[in-house]
Amino acid sequence: MENVVKGFSDFFENLPSKLRRRRFLLVAVFLVITVLLGGGSGGIVMNNSLDSFFKEDDPVKKEYDHFKAVFGGDEYVYIVYKARDGDIFSKKSVQALKGFYDDIANYRLTLSPSDKSPLDHIVEIKSLINIKFLEASDDTLYSRRLIGDNLPENAVEREILRKKALNHPDYPHLFLSKDSGYGGILLRTDFNSEIVSSDGAGSAETETEAGAGFDEDEEFDEAYESSSGFKEVAGDMVFKKTDMAEYPLLLSALRSLMAKPAYSDALEFHPVGKPVMMDFFAKVVFEDLGRIMGYVLLLIVAMLWLLFRSLSAVVWPVVLIVSAVVWVTGIIGWSGVEMSIMFQIIIFMILAVGVADAVHILSGYLFFRNRKLDHGDALNAVMKKSGLACFLTSATTAVGLMSLSLVPIKPIAVFGIFSALGVLIAFALTVFLMPLMLDLWSPVSKKGAGGSHFIQGLIRKTENTGPNNPGVVIMVFAVLGVFFFTGLMQLRIDSDEIEVLKKGLPLRASFDVVNDNMGGTGNMEISIDLKTGNALKDPEVLNKIEALQAYVKTVEGSKVVKTWSLVNVVKDSYKALNKGDDRFYIIPQNPAVLSQTLFLFDNANPKDRRRLVTDDYSNGRIEIHSRNAGSVEALAFKEKVRNYIDLNFKSIKAKYPGCEITLTGNMIMVSKMLDYISWSQIKSFGLTLVVISGILFIVFGNFKAGVIAIVPNVFPILTAFGIMGFLDIPLDMDTLLIAPVIIGLAVDDTIHFMTHYKLEVDRYGDIKKAAVSSIREAGQAICFTSVILAAGFSMFFMSFHNGLSHFGIFSAIAIITAFIADIYLLPALCAFFQADFNEVTFKAAGEVESGI
């Protein structure tokens, strides 16, 4: 083992001279690669949708895709509007709504057949203008619009419409609020609804293609009917992914309409939904990234100047880390891999780790120059001593990040892979280019030989605390560990895609308006596939569905405000066929009467029927609308619904063998993510700890030293999570990253200290003296890298995203805690347990190896 380590040290020591002989070729290759990869940076695609968090082969994702294949896409723009005069049925409000509706419904009248428009993605629009009411005449059902083209002319007519809408069981909280102060417009899009294959073969017609063109009489509604005949499909569905650029184009077109004075003077619009979130993240993530990373770069420049007081020591690290960012973003862009909000953390990790490598090289270089070594000897000495340490720190950080690739949440896995790649690229650029950069322009210490930085003076005041008082220091950290462990036990796991948006953002305000005044934006779908034709014409089946709908609205903790299924239209149709008598708002128990009722409804409104049940009446859906819920609430709700179905649908399953009742939709996805986060935290942290421990055991060649080196790296995680527990800040998809990221970064300083410590033990044979000398020599660089990392992480506090803010704040706390543990606890452990590297643990080639 000693020969291997010596071989690495000799390689890094001789590297500067080898690089000088090929410096022109090396620089040319660097510039060419930078230009080529830089061309891909502009192709980065952002996707922060809920379904993008699941891998393609995830069972939850497959069930969701199968549901979309049967019943169509479910990407809505839900526009809640507030009447500025307080009444959505006032003359001014109704005229504005009708104008807005007509602009969307009739936009193609001003275009040629070959022209394309972002509004082409809208395949269905529903509002108070065109929501349907059933009327019967001569045993025939007719589907009428609430308002249509004939706007109410007086207060009496407007009041009739208001009562009619409010008294309908399915429209309040969706198309109007109970006080008539808010209304809703539902725009269904064709985004991600094109089936390109089933079991890898065949293709399917898209909704847009099937529904092209509008019927003059029914405009949007009739145009869409031909495209909504969804049918049962087999196998795994593959949907064509919508280009992320399409979302901003659609929202821009809609905002242009909403901004028209004729509409905006009367109505205050609050658009929400997945397309709105996609538009928001596509724009704001890069704006946020530019602002935060700009502050981070300024911070790095300031800290480098404060540390080295040399322009070259500022310029060269900035060139290296910016180049590393260009390389990684270029690889991401050329690969076509979609990024999430975590893209910001990838960039920061590259900046942070890259500058840490540069600081250690520059600090060591100046250290040896102050010892009267000339430029070449100082460069060789620092590369020999710090090259291996930087390699090991980069490797351990990359391992910590790569452990996240095993997480089933796709953006976290992607983050782990590209962050690890960025760390290794930053290391490679540092060790291969920094020697040439220092040859060209090296920093000069302003204080001259023998001068020391003020940080060195502070370190000297504390360097004896751990080695001279090991028992006291260990006891203090043990008490603190117990204290923070109690906080850890209070840490809860939760994730909420709305709560991550900081209050004060316009989008967050829109979601709050929807949740407070309408039916919310949460949804769950229940697919009931009975595998038998006409099974959903069975009164027994519909009775069970009706009971299930009642249960989900009344169960403890439910936030459900609206459910919709075939049961709703059956009861509404039966009531209409019986002169609107409320006593007949029931499911007819005679199968023949039920079948006839469904036949008449299908003739009156086939589009709504097709959105609820397949043509053969074998597969139906229950659409559930709820106010926003976090993953804990969603999981509890899901389990209650699943238990109810298992208990109360036994007779249906016996009558229709093979039937499948599936829960899907965003509430199910959110609840599943809770389970993933729980196990991912355990697996990623556990794997990181095991692998890094293995590396430390091998590097130090001593089990005792390896265990000692691990302890200070666990303490920062305990501190961060303990404080989160005390403050009731949940562990979510962003704060989940703290443990693997921080242990990967914190172990860097530990490796630098232990490397120096091992050499000093061999040199002096005195453990306390070796510990003090190691703190004195490595402490300055460790301090500055910790301060830079912590200050950089804290910049995320300014993010619009609460998850990123929490990640940054608690990562900064963990970094500072890790520094304190390395300066106090680590030397105390070395002194208390007599880490002298004399224990024989490795044998190679017949030789006994002790240490490295």
Side-chain angles (χ1 to χ4, degrees):
M1 185 64 197
E2 187 174 351
N3 292 332
V4 175
V5 174
K6 185 177 183 303
F8 271 105
S9 298
D10 291 343
F11 168 79
F12 285 113
E13 181 182 17
N14 297 323
L15 187 61
S17 60
K18 293 179 180 179
L19 294 175
R20 290 188 189 102
R21 293 196 294 267
R22 299 176 178 82
R23 59 184 179 275
F24 295 113
L25 176 61
L26 187 63
V27 171
V29 170
F30 164 73
L31 292 175
V32 170
I33 294 176
T34 302
V35 171
L36 290 176
L37 291 180
S41 298
I44 294 175
V45 176
M46 301 301 300
N47 184 356
N48 216 66
S49 64
L50 186 60
D51 51 314
S52 73
F53 280 64
F54 294 84
K55 296 179 179 180
E56 293 300 324
D57 60 350
D58 192 293
V60 174
K61 178 76 160 52
K62 286 185 175 183
E63 289 175 350
Y64 179 59
D65 287 344
H66 186 80
F67 176 85
K68 289 195 299 181
V70 176
F71 294 106
D74 65 345
E75 293 197 22
Y76 293 92
V77 177
Y78 183 35
I79 303 175
V80 171
Y81 57 91
K82 177 183 178 182
R84 296 191 184 277
D85 60 10
D87 184 7
I88 59 174
F89 286 98
S90 69
K91 180 179 180 180
K92 188 175 183 180
S93 297
V94 172
Q95 287 178 340
L97 176 62
K98 182 64 165 69
F100 184 75
Y101 173 89
D102 287 343
D103 278 352
I104 296 177
N106 302 320
Y107 75 96
R108 289 218 62 91
L109 297 179
T110 61
L111 303 175
S112 66
S114 60
D115 289 340
K116 292 187 179 296
S117 167
L119 298 178
D120 291 340
H121 289 292
I122 299 175
V123 295
E124 183 181 28
I125 177 172
K126 283 187 175 183
S127 72
L128 292 175
I129 299 297
N130 68 325
I131 54 175
K132 301 299 182 65
F133 282 82
L134 294 174
E135 297 177 356
S137 177
D138 298 327
D139 293 328
T140 300
L141 276 177
Y142 296 94
S143 184
R144 311 291 190 192
R145 296 181 175 190
L146 175 64
I147 297 178
D149 294 326
N150 300 317
L151 303 187
E153 297 181 355
N154 52 59
V156 174
E157 291 182 357
R158 287 193 290 270
E159 195 61 27
I160 291 173
L161 291 175
R162 184 200 315 276
K163 290 181 178 179
K164 192 173 183 181
L166 287 172
N167 289 332
H168 194 285
D170 299 325
Y171 294 155
H173 294 300
L174 185 58
F175 297 107
L176 74 165
S177 61
K178 284 292 188 180
D179 63 359
S180 302
Y182 292 84
I185 304 168
L186 206 58
L187 305 174
R188 191 159 71 88
T189 71
D190 65 355
F191 291 142
N192 297 304
S193 62
E194 177 185 354
I195 303 174
V196 295
S197 70
S198 175
D199 283 334
S203 62
E205 186 180 50
T206 71
E207 293 185 279
T208 306
E209 290 169 347
F214 299 112
D215 185 283
E216 292 183 358
D217 294 329
E218 291 293 332
E219 297 170 330
F220 246 155
D221 298 333
E222 294 301 322
Y224 183 71
E225 283 183 19
S226 63
S227 70
S228 55
F230 302 107
K231 56 188 178 182
E232 184 64 41
V233 290
D236 295 337
M237 297 299 104
V238 178
F239 290 87
K240 180 181 178 181
K241 290 188 175 180
T242 296
D243 187 338
M244 291 297 111
E246 295 295 326
Y247 290 104
L249 291 175
L250 173 61
L251 268 297
S252 178
L254 290 174
R255 289 192 179 101
S256 295
L257 295 179
M258 290 185 282
K260 285 186 176 182
Y263 312 146
S264 61
D265 289 348
L267 306 174
E268 178 183 297
F269 294 100
H270 297 278
V272 295
K274 178 180 174 180
V276 181
M277 290 286 280
M278 292 297 95
D279 169 63
F280 175 78
F281 280 104
K283 294 178 180 177
V284 176
V285 166
F286 286 108
E287 294 175 2
D288 209 40
L289 175 65
R291 180 169 56 90
I292 293 175
M293 291 306 126
Y295 289 135
V296 171
L297 275 175
L298 288 175
L299 175 69
I300 288 174
V301 168
M303 296 299 294
L304 288 172
W305 177 259
L306 181 64
L307 174 60
F308 298 112
R309 304 296 176 87
S310 171
L311 188 59
S312 65
V314 174
V315 172
W316 293 140
V318 170
V319 170
L320 289 173
I321 58 179
V322 170
S323 299
V325 168
V326 171
W327 281 35
V328 175
T329 55
I331 292 171
I332 293 173
W334 287 121
S335 70
V337 176
E338 292 179 341
M339 289 287 109
S340 70
I341 188 68
M342 294 175 189
F343 176 68
Q344 295 192 30
I345 309 179
I346 294 176
I347 302 302
F348 174 76
M349 289 296 298
I350 298 169
L351 297 179
V353 175
V355 78
D357 288 339
V359 164
H360 280 288
I361 297 296
L362 287 170
S363 181
Y365 172 80
L366 286 176
F367 177 82
F368 288 111
R369 287 301 300 273
N370 286 331
R371 288 192 170 184
K372 306 301 184 180
L373 272 67
D374 64 18
H375 167 74
D377 291 340
L379 196 54
N380 291 341
V382 71
M383 290 299 291
K384 178 180 182 178
K385 200 163 189 179
S386 297
L388 175 60
C390 286
F391 169 71
L392 292 173
T393 58
S394 297
T396 52
T397 301
V399 167
L401 295 168
M402 278 298 294
S403 69
L404 294 170
S405 64
L406 301 178
V407 175
I409 302 174
K410 187 176 177 181
I412 295 180
V414 169
F415 162 79
I417 293 170
F418 284 104
S419 293
L421 178 63
V423 167
L424 296 177
I425 288 176
F427 163 76
L429 291 179
T430 300
V431 297
F432 285 104
L433 293 180
M434 182 64 84
L436 299 180
M437 291 175 168
L438 293 179
D439 281 348
L440 182 63
W441 184 19
S442 63
V444 177
S445 174
K446 301 299 182 182
K447 295 181 180 295
S452 62
H453 199 277
F454 77 92
I455 291 295
Q456 191 65 255
L458 296 177
I459 290 175
R460 284 178 180 270
K461 294 179 180 180
T462 61
E463 61 189 18
N464 291 297
T465 304
N468 291 339
N469 307 282
V472 175
V473 172
I474 293 172
M475 181 62 67
V476 170
F477 275 87
V479 172
L480 289 174
V482 172
F483 173 73
F484 288 123
F485 183 78
T486 61
L488 175 65
M489 292 296 97
Q490 301 174 41
L491 182 65
R492 61 187 177 88
I493 301 173
D494 201 2
S495 182
D496 191 319
E497 61 178 342
I498 307 304
E499 289 296 323
V500 297
L501 301 175
K502 285 187 174 178
K503 290 186 179 295
L505 289 171
L507 181 58
R508 173 60 186 269
S510 292
F511 274 106
D512 288 342
V513 166
V514 176
N515 275 300
D516 293 342
N517 299 281
M518 299 292 280
T521 56
N523 85 290
M524 185 172 81
E525 300 281 355
I526 302 178
S527 171
I528 302 176
D529 186 1
L530 300 175
K531 309 291 186 182
T532 304
N534 292 322
L536 282 162
K537 294 181 179 180
D538 183 346
E540 183 183 355
V541 172
L542 294 190
N543 290 337
K544 292 292 186 181
I545 293 175
E546 181 182 34
L548 176 57
Q549 288 181 248
Y551 174 79
V552 299
K553 293 177 69 174
T554 58
V555 65
E556 182 182 357
S558 174
K559 292 186 174 182
V560 174
V561 295
K562 189 71 60 181
T563 63
W564 193 47
S565 75
L566 190 63
V567 169
N568 298 65
V569 299
V570 165
K571 295 195 293 185
D572 197 26
S573 300
Y574 194 51
K575 173 184 172 180
L577 289 168
N578 287 276
K579 300 179 180 181
D581 190 335
D582 288 336
R583 292 176 301 170
F584 290 90
Y585 189 72
I586 58 174
I587 300 169
Q589 297 303 303
N590 186 317
V593 175
L594 175 57
S595 180
Q596 180 65 14
T597 301
L598 286 169
F599 174 77
L600 293 173
F601 174 76
D602 195 17
N603 288 335
N605 192 351
K607 177 171 64 66
D608 281 354
R609 194 276 301 163
R610 289 167 183 158
R611 290 286 295 164
L612 295 171
V613 64
T614 53
D615 289 338
D616 64 355
Y617 284 83
S618 65
N619 192 349
R621 70 188 288 197
I622 303 175
E623 186 176 338
I624 299 172
H625 296 272
S626 79
R627 293 190 168 86
N628 186 55
S631 56
V632 171
E633 293 175 307
L635 179 61
F637 180 72
K638 168 198 167 186
E639 292 303 318
K640 290 175 181 177
V641 173
R642 171 53 64 189
N643 291 337
Y644 179 90
I645 291 172
D646 292 341
L647 181 64
N648 292 276
F649 276 71
K650 292 179 180 179
S651 61
I652 300 300
K653 293 179 179 180
K655 190 173 184 178
Y656 298 97
C659 80
E660 297 177 357
I661 302 176
T662 305
L663 279 62
T664 187
N666 67 8
M667 287 182 68
I668 300 303
M669 290 184 164
V670 166
S671 67
K672 188 61 179 178
M673 283 168 56
L674 178 69
D675 182 51
Y676 284 164
I677 291 172
S678 302
W679 283 107
S680 297
Q681 183 64 59
I682 295 171
K683 289 190 292 185
S684 63
F685 179 69
L687 178 62
T688 301
L689 197 60
V690 169
V691 174
I692 290 178
S693 298
I695 293 175
L696 293 176
F697 294 155
I698 293 172
V699 169
F700 299 125
N702 184 278
F703 181 79
K704 184 195 295 183
V707 173
I708 288 173
I710 283 295
V711 175
N713 296 290
V714 175
F715 185 77
I717 311 301
L718 184 63
T719 301
F721 285 166
I723 296 174
M724 286 176 60
F726 287 132
L727 297 179
D728 195 32
I729 294 175
L731 185 70
D732 58 19
M733 287 178 294
D734 300 291
T735 50
L736 167 126
L737 301 176
I738 292 175
V741 167
I742 295 305
I743 195 172
L745 292 175
V747 77
D748 294 0
D749 293 339
T750 302
I751 288 176
H752 280 285
F753 175 88
M754 292 297 288
T755 301
H756 284 81
Y757 174 75
K758 169 65 174 65
L759 294 174
E760 297 302 311
V761 168
D762 292 341
R763 178 181 177 184
Y764 296 114
D766 186 317
I767 289 177
K768 289 185 179 180
K769 187 174 182 179
V772 171
S773 179
S774 299
I775 295 173
R776 186 175 300 172
E777 186 173 340
Q780 179 172 302
I782 291 174
C783 176
F784 266 85
T785 54
S786 298
V787 170
I788 291 173
L789 286 171
F793 274 117
S794 66
M795 292 295 105
F796 282 106
F797 175 75
M798 296 180 291
S799 174
F800 72 90
H801 196 279
N802 279 323
L804 283 182
S805 292
H806 293 153
F807 168 77
I809 293 168
F810 290 102
S811 292
I813 291 173
I815 287 291
I816 294 300
T817 306
F819 167 69
I820 295 172
D822 281 329
I823 294 298
Y824 290 100
L825 179 60
L826 185 55
L829 290 170
C830 289
F832 188 83
F833 291 102
Q834 295 292 298
D836 55 9
F837 299 92
N838 289 326
E839 180 184 347
V840 178
T841 54
F842 290 95
K843 291 184 179 182
E847 297 179 352
V848 175
E849 295 188 8
S850 175
I852 60 172

